[in-house]
DNA sequence: GGTACGGTCTGGTCCGGACCAGTTGCCAGA
DNA sequence: TCTGGCAACTGGTCCGGACCAGACCGTACC
């Protein structure tokens, strides 16, 4: 039986073999094979790339975790069909509103250098110089208050932030002025009711239901933003599609960002 | 050096050893250890539970994927900080709670055939025979009410639903009894405050903030569930990762809810 | 023709060993 | 006292083997 010639060789080195194999397989799946096509069997891959089956399985598992492949016991491993909807978009408030045909605006409440609480400092990875910009804003859509934002931004990465116009999209400002693009974010949301201060700022009755988002945004792997946004729960909705990819007993997934 | 006595023994059987170990470790992490505490080293676990290191690592990896543990090279494996969060995935309430080390239970309020409102009938794609099962339940975690569910399920796809035990996971019931697996769902969420009825059922003060989910779930492309769940906003959180084009749910804000 | 039964593919689980690579503390030498 | 280096941890990678379980197909039997 002829041994298949690998297009790339897996070598010892700083980069783990399973990661190298993942790259090879991802390329194979995307460019040479199509959706629903079977990739070579694990035992084939062992001999082709001269690695152990454990390594092959680890490589495949990371691609499964990424949604690129799926396995069927007894049949084989196949290229997953690409999802219909583009999964997620990381949109700023301004982008969000514009896409919905509403006019976004901003009421700037305050910008100042301050020492953030410990959890914020930790999330922002602040070192000795523990100061950061504190930016409080009310966001409006077509003139109506929608959300209250309390944000913290590292001073070191954003010198002179207070000298710029903070009445628009901060994300666009970061990109244009500081050449920092938000790439990923971790977001947590829960429910609250508006206290008197928040209610007043949102021009809403006390005890108005709120959707509270805490978002930590990253640029080049470094935290750039810690923001808590309180949206009027009666004026906003969050819509999401849930797929099936992580239903079963999840096995392996590598970290998304450091 | 004395060998630690395992509180539970890992045995051969239909359930894989690594899954059994995962359960043991999850229990250990949640109930005996605290946040940031180190779990025993992989080599300790090998001898304690008499399994190979590969099995130990596989067990740990699944818990890391679930966000329960995290590893630090050279230091150890630690219990992740205890966020009462649910990853944004398509999991049933029961799965969600078990994954977090909580014991899910259910208080069944009512099951009956009824004619759903027009929007529900439309979402469920009900034809002439416009009846569906109406299932109202309170979901609890460790005995405390967490959510109130009002669900509608097509009678035609689920004959005799009221004769089964509705005190557990409906998704598992659908899969086991009717061979219907939930594959995708559309979910919309907003904020509300609890009215007197809801507050009473959730054993919470009136005006407690609520996270309200409306979920329409699909099996084989056909709508199988229309459910509105009201979660105590002060006891639950939703966590999501946003990135460029990697997996993770899209979170799209829509306009005001109807 | 239909059916039951194996081979023989596939992935799933598990073992025990080996070595590499960060982390930390202890101890000897400067 | 300070510092460098070693030793003893930790997890990370990788091997090659073994057996189990699901899927498939050809064949021999009814």
């Amino acid at each position: 039986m002829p041994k298949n010639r690998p297009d790339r060789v897996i070598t010892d080195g700083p980069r783990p073999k399973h990661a190298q194999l993942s790259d090879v397989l991802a390329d194979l799946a995307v460019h040479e094979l199509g959706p629903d096509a079977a990739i070579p069997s694990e035992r084939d891959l062992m001999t082709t790339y001269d690695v152990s089956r454990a390594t092959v399985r680890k490589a495949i598992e990371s691609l499964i975790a990424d949604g690129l492949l799926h396995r069927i016991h007894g049949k084989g491993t196949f290229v997953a069909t690409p999802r219909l909807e583009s999964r997620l978009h990381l949109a700023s408030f301004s982008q969000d509103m514009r896409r919905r045909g509403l006019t976004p605006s901003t009421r700037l409440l305050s910008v100042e250098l301050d020492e953030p609480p410990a959890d914020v400092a930790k999330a922002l990875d602040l070192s000795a110089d523990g100061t950061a910009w504190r930016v409080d804003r009310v966001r409006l859509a077509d003139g109506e208050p929608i959300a209250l934002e309390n944000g913290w931004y590292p001073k070191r990465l954003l010198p002179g932030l207070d000298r710029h116009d903070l009445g628009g999209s901060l994300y666009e400002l970061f990109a244009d002025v500081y050449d920092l693009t938000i790439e990923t974010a971790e977001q947590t949301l829960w429910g609250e009711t508006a206290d008197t201060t928040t209610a007043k700022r949102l021009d809403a009755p006390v005890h108005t239901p709120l959707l509270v988002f805490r978002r930590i945004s990253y640029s080049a792997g470094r935290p750039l933003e810690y923001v808590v946004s309180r949206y009027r729960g009666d004026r906003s909705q969050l819509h999401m599609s849930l797929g099936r990819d992580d239903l079963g007993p999840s096995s392996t997934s590598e970290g998304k960002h450091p």
Side-chain angles (χ1 to χ4, degrees), chain A:
Chain A
M1 163 186 324
K3 184 173 171 177
N4 290 338
R5 270 168 304 152
D7 35 328
R8 253 188 281 175
V9 186
I10 273 62
T11 62
D12 253 14
R15 189 162 165 70
K17 290 188 180 180
H18 64 79
Q20 298 178 50
L21 226 199
S22 282
D23 291 347
V24 173
L25 292 179
D27 189 76
L28 178 74
V30 172
H31 293 115
E32 303 206 23
L33 305 170
D36 291 325
I39 70 168
S41 77
E42 297 178 355
R43 287 168 180 84
D44 276 359
L45 293 171
M46 286 179 63
T47 62
T48 304
Y49 294 99
D50 195 30
V51 294
S52 76
R53 188 150 163 242
T55 304
V56 170
R57 285 181 62 80
K58 182 142 197 174
I60 290 176
E61 262 148 29
S62 83
L63 294 178
I64 289 175
D66 287 349
L68 192 65
L69 302 176
H70 65 105
R71 282 202 267 228
I72 301 179
H73 189 176
K75 295 186 71 175
T77 303
F78 304 87
V79 181
T81 50
R83 309 207 67 84
L84 297 180
E85 325 114 33
S86 79
R87 254 12 210 138
L88 63 89
H89 63 269
L90 186 51
S92 71
F93 178 89
S94 306
Q95 291 168 342
D96 244 10
M97 294 301 145
R98 279 196 283 265
R99 196 150 31 85
R100 288 193 242 160
L102 302 175
T103 305
S105 58
T106 297
R107 189 179 299 153
L108 183 62
L109 300 180
S110 68
V111 198
E112 50 189 19
L113 273 178
D114 200 355
E115 190 163 334
D119 57 329
V120 176
K122 187 179 176 190
L124 287 181
D125 206 13
L126 294 185
S127 48
D129 175 20
T131 61
W133 297 107
R134 180 193 174 125
V135 180
D136 292 347
R137 311 192 297 171
V138 176
R139 314 304 299 267
L140 309 92
D142 282 353
E144 284 194 81
I146 292 288
L148 177 63
E149 279 183 12
N150 304 108
W152 291 92
Y153 304 88
K155 170 187 146 200
R156 199 173 56 79
L157 297 175
L158 302 164
L161 180 64
D162 57 338
R163 290 198 303 273
H164 293 98
D165 173 26
L166 301 180
S169 166
L170 285 188
Y171 289 6
E172 289 173 14
L173 177 67
F174 294 161
D176 294 347
V177 178
Y178 297 95
D179 197 28
L180 291 169
T181 312
I182 302 287
E183 283 139 13
T184 59
E186 289 286 325
Q187 187 163 281
T188 301
L189 84 87
W190 62 92
E192 281 182 9
T193 55
D195 57 28
T196 46
T197 319
T198 307
K200 185 168 292 180
R201 284 177 171 168
L202 286 177
D203 195 17
V206 192
H207 298 320
T208 295
L210 302 176
L211 283 182
V212 188
F213 294 77
R214 184 189 59 219
R215 180 188 278 196
I216 301 167
S217 308
Y218 298 84
S219 175
R222 288 177 312 194
L224 185 61
E225 173 185 58
Y226 181 107
V227 62
V228 175
S229 306
R230 291 182 164 79
Y231 281 73
R232 287 192 59 163
D234 55 345
R235 286 192 181 170
S236 30
Q237 273 190 338
L238 195 69
H239 184 80
M240 59 199 87
S241 296
L242 306 179
R244 197 195 177 289
D245 33 50
D246 60 349
L247 251 186
S250 48
S251 48
T252 320
S253 77
E254 307 289 327
K256 291 282 175 283
H257 58 77

